[in-house]
Amino acid sequence: MRVAILGCGYVGLELGRQLAADHDVIGVRRSDAGIEAIEAAGFESVRADVTDPDELTRVPDADAVVFAASSGGRGADAAREIYVDGLRTAIDAFGTRDQAPDRLIYTSSTGVYGDHDGDWVDEETPLDPTTPKTEVLVEAERIAIDVAAEYGIDGTVARFAGLYGPDRYRLGRYVDGPVTEGYLNMVHRDDAAGVVRYLLERDAARGEPVLVVDDEPVSKWEFADWLAAECGVPDPPKRTKAERLADDSLSDAARRRIETSKRCSNDRLRELGYEFAYPTYREGYRAAVDAYRRGGSA
């Protein structure tokens, strides 16, 4: 199988490493640093901007396309340029080829669910985007399924929970505090990539969304206290949502993040047969905790 990974960044690089032993993999980035990272990871690179159809002609034909491009944490306009316009461009660029792929995986976010006051959500839960950016993500999910189908391509939406792993453990945020109450839904980078690899290799979840989240959503306070105990430091200070929201300097986006609470179920992913390398934060943060105890940071 030949797989083209468009926007081969944090998860895409790990996906490429996992696939490269058994498949042909092409990583696509537009920057010098991105190309260097792909080559360092040990698989083929192509320089192209996913929003430019002419540049996408440089990418060889593929059996499957993974659209994992990022808007770099910028606002809704930048997100639309990448997730909506770029995704449409990529689907058209590959779908009109003589040797078109029959599979597309688009990496989305659990942010599309909005606030559920701490209740559980799954693939059957109606989407309720609460910000301009998550509205863009919902539109992109529709494109990944419906527009791809117009070209004979089966789309899959992989909704990632909060990503963590090497270079993204952010221990200080929880060990030092203060920690605002709420739930964390997380997945280790290696499992985020592992799920995409699994769906491709098992030919699973065509035409449907899949929540990519580990076995145990956890309260932020509980997680912070566990980290503190493991790192051998005092429990961090805590804040209620009301206390945090009393800060008049908070942006609207920050307020919505604080007010949003849900627990994401991975029952569907488990039904598909995926086995986690890091089923909970306890296994996933072990390397970071060990590094912290050795040197005081991670």
Side-chain angles (χ1 to χ4, degrees), residues 78-115:
R80 176 168 294 279
E81 179 185 3
I82 300 297
Y83 302 131
V84 171
D85 301 337
L87 182 57
R88 281 185 178 275
T89 297
I91 290 171
D92 182 69
F94 284 91
T96 53
R97 295 184 178 191
D98 292 337
Q99 300 295 322
D102 76 338
R103 193 82 201 268
L104 167 75
I105 294 184
Y106 164 66
T107 62
S108 186
S109 163
T110 57
V112 296
Y113 289 108
D115 178 40

Side-chain angles (χ1 to χ4, degrees), residues 136-236:
V136 168
L137 295 178
V138 170
E139 184 177 353
E141 288 196 3
R142 182 192 63 78
I143 291 168
I145 301 293
D146 296 344
V147 176
E150 295 173 5
Y151 292 84
I153 301 171
D154 289 333
T156 299
V157 172
R159 290 182 186 140
F160 289 165
L163 292 165
Y164 73 96
D167 302 319
R168 290 198 188 183
Y169 288 110
R170 303 183 180 99
L171 258 66
R173 176 184 298 179
Y174 298 101
V175 171
D176 300 334
V179 179
T180 302
E181 67 180 323
Y183 280 105
L184 287 170
N185 299 276
M186 297 187 286
V187 64
H188 193 284
R189 177 206 64 185
D190 294 5
D191 279 311
V195 168
V196 176
R197 174 187 54 78
Y198 184 86
L199 297 178
L200 289 171
E201 292 183 336
R202 298 300 178 96
D203 198 24
R206 285 178 178 256
E208 63 179 280
V210 177
L211 266 168
V212 183
V213 61
D214 70 18
D215 288 346
E216 191 175 334
V218 62
S219 97
K220 293 178 183 178
W221 288 0
E222 179 182 344
F223 174 66
D225 286 349
W226 176 84
L227 268 183
E230 293 296 311
C231 291
V233 298
D235 291 348

Side-chain angles (χ1 to χ4, degrees), residues 113 121-127 159 208-209 211 268:
Y113 289 108
V121 300
D122 61 19
E123 288 81 359
E124 301 302 316
T125 304
L127 304 185
R159 290 182 186 140
E208 63 179 280
L211 266 168
R268 175 58 178 149

Side-chain angles (χ1 to χ4, degrees), residues 268-288:
R268 175 58 178 149
L269 185 55
R270 285 297 198 178
E271 288 173 3
L272 290 169
Y274 182 74
E275 295 292 334
F276 283 84
Y278 302 99
T280 76
Y281 61 89
R282 297 177 189 85
E283 298 84 9
Y285 268 81
R286 178 52 50 199

